[in-house]
Amino acid sequence: MSKKQAMTVVVGLGKTGWSCVEFFVARWVRCAVMDTRSEPPNRQALFDQYPDVPLSDLSKAALLSAHEVVVSPGVSLPSAWVVELMAAGVSVVSDID
């Protein structure tokens, strides 16, 4: 992923992450999903309904190259990796934003 691709990364595939994916896909926004869980909720639904939306583990390199990162409520904004993204100039928002 490069900034030229303007990829939005959704972190977490629970209820909020799933809602964000649906929002972005409906608006033709390129997005990917990252989750720390090997079997996150909505995993099968993502594969079935949106096979072009990739799902992967958290990747620092991919997050740093994202246009925007949308974090789910379960992600602590003061987490070191979130602070690092913001310091690098990556837009980090919540679903409410």
Side-chain angles (χ1 to χ4, degrees), residues 2 5 18 21 23 28-29 41 46 60 63 68-69 78 82 93:
S2 73
Q5 294 174 321
W18 177 251
V21 169
F23 176 86
W28 298 94
V29 175
L46 180 72
K60 183 177 172 180
L63 289 168
E68 180 174 62
V69 175
V82 175
V93 299

Side-chain angles (χ1 to χ4, degrees), residues 3-70:
K3 287 193 184 253
K4 291 179 184 177
Q5 294 174 321
M7 180 73 70
T8 296
V9 177
V10 176
V11 177
L13 193 54
K15 288 181 183 179
T16 300
W18 177 251
S19 174
C20 290
V21 169
E22 290 182 311
F23 176 86
F24 291 130
V25 170
R27 286 156 182 78
W28 298 94
V29 175
R30 289 181 35 121
C31 66
V33 179
M34 293 185 181
D35 202 299
T36 58
R37 300 167 287 192
S38 60
E39 294 289 327
N42 301 305
R43 179 180 182 266
Q44 192 59 51
L46 180 72
F47 293 153
D48 293 344
Q49 294 180 38
Y50 307 117
D52 294 333
V53 176
L55 171 64
S56 65
D57 293 333
L58 284 178
S59 162
K60 183 177 172 180
L63 289 168
L64 284 169
S65 68
H67 168 71
E68 180 174 62
V69 175
V70 180

